[in-house]
């Protein structure tokens, strides 16, 4: 009902001529095929549960605007429903007595796939959910701007990074509540666990490093320095534990880290809004997948034992702003959330083509694939429909010189001005994102009707790089397009506020109608 099937066609843009042989079958005996580039692939690590897709598997997305978790049956390619954790954005969430979650964003699952850890970035909360019943087992107040986390190997604790502090909060996954905190340095963004569960790795939004923590003692034991940028939006550790890929969204780069040597082995130039990395091992070898939201692409790299990974192909997503990603248990599929299209793309990892697109709740962020998460294929208790079936629109934009702002520019630069409109709480949420405008300048955005009439929508200010990562406005939007006009140089106060948020020292500051990105960024990740 909520699945849109796509014909397999030319869905990929090959990065090199040699990539044409990427879809060959495995060699006899099931061993990985030779690399088409001559690079020696990293030894494939057999998944703990390599069973093919099953009706007992589940895909989950954390939906930031509908404040839901979407539940998908990957075998059927069907959305089963959503777990409601709060009201749709706006609505009662602005009330001083609002008690539910806001900004459902991060996800993690326990090693036995029986529980989800769900992080809400605006309410600073962690909910532990039973995957069999879809019921919330506990609700815990975590640290300021809690973002992404992971379960310990025994499933008893959920460690979550507190972006607005210098701590990782340890949540008691069995009983709820805070079991402890670890000081790791300014702006921790995500917690990764080593495959053996002995070490935790934490990236940051305020320092170009990875902090290493001994899980048993809860002590910092080292730091991996020299990352490509101070702001690391997301990171992932390979299944074999050999590499960490740290994404730098603002810089459009990825730092590839040799875990054993504790040093950066490569820096990749990937593109605007580089986001979640993840890994898939199949009959062809071991590969890293990387979402690039500003290009509407998922990049595929072949992992190599030494030197820089090899770019194999660029998968053209069937929607806007790919964000979170997660492989199926057998490594044959990669599920990619489309933040600005409220859907998930399903990529066949042997052909690297999008073979299905499945609807989700509003503004999906993190994505998880949990093999064997439920007791039976028809298990879907307690689900609702909040956030489903709501129309999301990516509307045309017009720049001050009259040119279109939403056209994809050559050279991997992305769009200048994107506009997404979705209904929430009886109004429309209008989300703008700008790149390469006039630096440190205040702009007025207008909703332009069919007659050409302009209605003021919201004003915003670009940073010194000409960017505005996320600008929000709530109204009854009846326009056909959105146009912007410059109002002049930003004030010193506004520029100071932008500088604080760009260095990770301010999060979600208050603001009025004339707002800068520091006051309107919901989660630049």
């Amino acid at each position: 009902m909520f699945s849109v099937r796509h014909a397999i066609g030319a869905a990929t843009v090959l990065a090199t001529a040699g990539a044409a042989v990427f879809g060959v079958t495995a060699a006899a005996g099931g061993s990985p095929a030779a690399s088409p580039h001559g690079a020696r692939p990293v030894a494939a690590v057999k998944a703990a549960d390599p069973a093919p897709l099953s009706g007992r598997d589940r895909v989950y997305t954390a939906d930031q605007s509908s404040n839901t978790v979407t539940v998908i049956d990957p075998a059927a390619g069907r959305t089963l429903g959503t777990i409601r954790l709060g009201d749709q954005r706006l609505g009662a969430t602005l009330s001083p007595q609002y008690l539910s979650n806001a900004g459902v964003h991060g996800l993690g699952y326990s090693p036995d796939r029986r529980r989800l850890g769900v992080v809400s970035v605006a309410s600073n909360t962690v909910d532990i959910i039973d995957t069999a019943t879809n019921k919330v087992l506990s609700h815990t107040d975590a640290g300021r701007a809690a973002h992404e986390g992971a379960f310990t190997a025994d499933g008893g604790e959920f460690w979550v990074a507190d972006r607005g502090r210098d701590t990782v909060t340890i949540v008691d996954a069995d009983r709820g509540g805070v079991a402890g905190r670890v000081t790791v340095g300014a702006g921790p963004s995500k917690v990764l666990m080593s495959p053996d569960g002995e070490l935790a790795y934490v990236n940051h939004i305020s320092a170009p490093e990875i902090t290493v923590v001994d899980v048993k003692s809860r002590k910092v034991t080292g730091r991996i320095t020299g990352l490509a940028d101070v702001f690391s939006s997301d990171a992932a550790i390979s299944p074999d534990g050999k590499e960490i890929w740290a994404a730098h969204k603002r810089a459009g780069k990825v730092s590839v880290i040799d875990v054993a040597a504790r040093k950066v082995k490569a820096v990749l130039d990937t593109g605007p809004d580089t986001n979640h990395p993840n890994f898939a091992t199949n009959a062809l070898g071991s590969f890293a997948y990387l979402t690039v939201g500003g290009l509407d692409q998922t990049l595929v790299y072949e992992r190599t034992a030494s030197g820089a990974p090899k770019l194999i192909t660029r998968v053209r997503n069937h929607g806007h702003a790919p964000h979170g990603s997660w492989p199926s248990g057998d490594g044959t599929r990669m599920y990619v959330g489309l933040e600005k299209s409220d859907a998930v793309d399903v990529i066949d990892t042997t052909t690297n083509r999008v073979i299905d697109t499945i609807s989700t709740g509003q503004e999906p962020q993190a994505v998880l694939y949990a093999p064997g998460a439920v007791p039976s294929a028809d298990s879907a208790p307690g689900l609702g429909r909040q956030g489903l079936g709501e129309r999301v629109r990516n509307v045309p934009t017009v720049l001050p010189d009259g040119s279109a702002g939403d056209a994809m520019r050559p050279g991997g630069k992305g769009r200048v001005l994107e506009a997404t409109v979705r209904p929430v709480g009886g109004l429309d949420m209008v989300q703008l994102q700008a790149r390469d405008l006039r630096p440190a300048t205040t702009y007025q955005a207008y909703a332009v009707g069919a007659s050409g009439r302009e209605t003021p929508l919201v004003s915003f200010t670009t940073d010194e790089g000409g960017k505005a990562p996320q600008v929000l406005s709530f109204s009854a939007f009846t326009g056909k397009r959105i146009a912007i006009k410059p109002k002049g140089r930003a004030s010193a106060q506004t520029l100071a506020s932008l500088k604080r948020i760009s260095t990770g020292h301010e999060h979600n500051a208050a603001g009025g109608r004339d707002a800068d990105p520091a006051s309107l960024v919901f989660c630049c990740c």
Side-chain angles (χ1 to χ4, degrees):
M1 181 177 180
F2 285 92
S3 176
V4 181
R5 297 276 176 184
H6 294 279
I8 293 179
T12 58
V13 180
L14 297 181
T16 65
V21 299
F22 183 68
V24 298
T25 57
S31 58
S35 164
H37 302 284
R40 182 167 62 89
V42 173
V45 175
K46 189 175 181 180
D49 183 6
L53 275 69
S54 163
R56 294 183 55 234
D57 300 349
R58 292 292 179 263
V59 174
Y60 300 94
T61 67
D63 312 318
Q64 185 166 261
S65 284
S66 55
N67 286 318
T68 55
V69 172
T70 297
V71 184
I72 296 169
D73 177 348
R78 184 169 64 96
T79 301
L80 300 176
T82 58
I83 303 170
R84 178 188 177 278
L85 295 178
D87 293 325
Q88 279 185 307
R89 190 121 120 149
L90 196 66
T93 59
L94 298 179
S95 167
Q97 297 185 34
Y98 184 67
L99 304 178
S100 296
N101 294 304
V104 174
H105 186 95
L107 288 175
Y109 61 57
S110 60
D112 63 3
R113 283 87 164 182
R114 297 296 180 261
R115 288 180 291 182
L116 292 178
V118 184
V119 185
S120 298
V121 294
S123 53
N124 308 319
T125 47
V126 172
D127 287 273
I128 304 298
I129 294 177
D130 185 308
T131 57
T133 64
N134 297 314
K135 291 183 177 179
V136 175
L137 301 175
S138 67
H139 177 82
T140 300
D141 294 323
R144 179 76 171 91
H147 184 235
E148 291 273 10
F151 280 88
T152 52
D154 63 2
E157 296 173 347
F158 185 78
W159 290 34
V160 61
D162 306 321
R163 278 186 161 188
R165 295 288 183 265
D166 59 359
T167 56
V168 167
T169 295
I170 301 172
V171 174
D172 186 324
D174 294 324
R175 293 174 290 275
V178 175
R181 286 189 168 90
V182 181
T183 300
V184 294
S189 187
K190 185 173 185 176
V191 179
L192 304 172
M193 293 290 177
S194 61
D196 60 13
E198 294 182 1
L199 297 175
Y201 297 95
V202 183
N203 63 330
H204 297 259
I205 61 170
S206 303
E209 63 186 40
I210 302 288
T211 303
V212 185
V213 182
D214 179 83
V215 173
K216 185 176 181 180
S217 67
R218 300 181 181 177
K219 301 293 184 182
V220 173
T221 60
R223 298 185 187 276
I224 304 170
T225 59
L227 275 63
D229 190 62
V230 296
F231 188 97
S232 176
S233 51
D234 196 84
I237 188 167
S238 58
D240 57 17
K242 293 182 178 181
E243 294 176 346
I244 291 174
W245 287 45
H248 306 291
K249 179 175 183 177
R250 294 176 178 173
K253 298 178 182 294
V254 170
S255 297
V256 181
I257 297 155
D258 183 321
V259 173
R262 294 198 175 183
K263 67 178 183 180
V264 176
K265 63 181 283 189
V267 174
L268 310 176
D269 290 315
T270 48
D273 294 351
T274 292
N275 225 308
H276 289 221
N278 221 313
F279 303 91
T281 297
N282 57 33
L284 301 178
S286 181
F287 304 93
Y289 285 71
L290 182 72
T291 58
V292 184
L295 300 180
D296 294 339
Q297 295 178 355
T298 298
L299 276 55
V300 186
Y301 288 86
E302 181 182 36
R303 296 175 59 213
T304 55
S306 62
K310 308 297 183 182
L311 179 63
I312 299 299
T313 190
R314 296 172 178 266
V315 180
R316 179 71 63 183
N317 288 107
H318 289 186
H320 296 301
H323 192 112
S325 62
W326 205 273
S328 59
D330 61 1
T332 64
R333 303 286 186 267
M334 183 65 67
Y335 291 78
V336 175
L338 304 174
E339 179 178 354
K340 295 181 181 178
S341 293
D342 297 353
V344 168
D345 269 349
V346 185
I347 298 172
D348 183 321
T349 62
T350 61
T351 63
N352 283 314
R353 294 176 179 175
V354 176
I355 59 173
D356 198 6
T357 299
I358 305 169
S359 296
T360 69
Q362 295 177 304
E363 203 176 4
Q365 303 291 298
V367 176
L368 282 185
Y369 187 106
V374 296
S376 62
D378 59 354
S379 177
L383 298 178
R385 310 302 297 177
Q386 180 167 303
L388 297 178
E390 303 277 8
R391 182 188 178 198
V392 56
R393 294 174 287 160
N394 290 277
V395 303
T397 64
V398 181
L399 300 177
D401 64 0
S403 62
D406 55 309
M408 191 68 76
R409 295 177 291 168
K413 295 181 179 180
R415 298 175 172 87
V416 176
L417 182 65
E418 301 177 44
T420 304
V421 180
R422 54 166 59 86
V424 293
L427 288 175
D428 292 314
M429 182 178 81
V430 181
Q431 176 184 335
L432 304 179
Q433 181 174 5
R435 308 179 187 93
D436 298 331
L437 293 177
R438 190 182 302 170
T441 300
T442 297
Y443 287 85
Q444 177 67 52
Y446 299 87
V448 183
S451 66
R453 179 182 177 183
E454 296 179 341
T455 302
L457 191 63
V458 65
S459 63
F460 64 93
T461 300
T462 57
D463 61 18
E464 293 289 356
K467 298 178 181 179
Q470 189 175 107
V471 179
L472 301 180
S473 173
F474 295 88
S475 63
F477 184 80
T478 58
K480 298 298 182 181
R481 59 190 182 276
I482 291 174
I484 61 170
K485 298 178 181 180
K487 294 176 64 178
R489 176 80 177 176
S491 68
Q493 181 180 7
T494 297
L495 293 177
S497 179
L498 287 172
K499 186 175 182 179
R500 285 195 298 272
I501 194 168
S502 68
T503 56
H505 295 148
E506 183 173 308
H507 303 267
N508 298 327
R513 181 175 176 83
D514 289 334
D516 55 58
S519 63
L520 290 176
V521 167
F522 189 55
C523 184
C524 185
C525 48

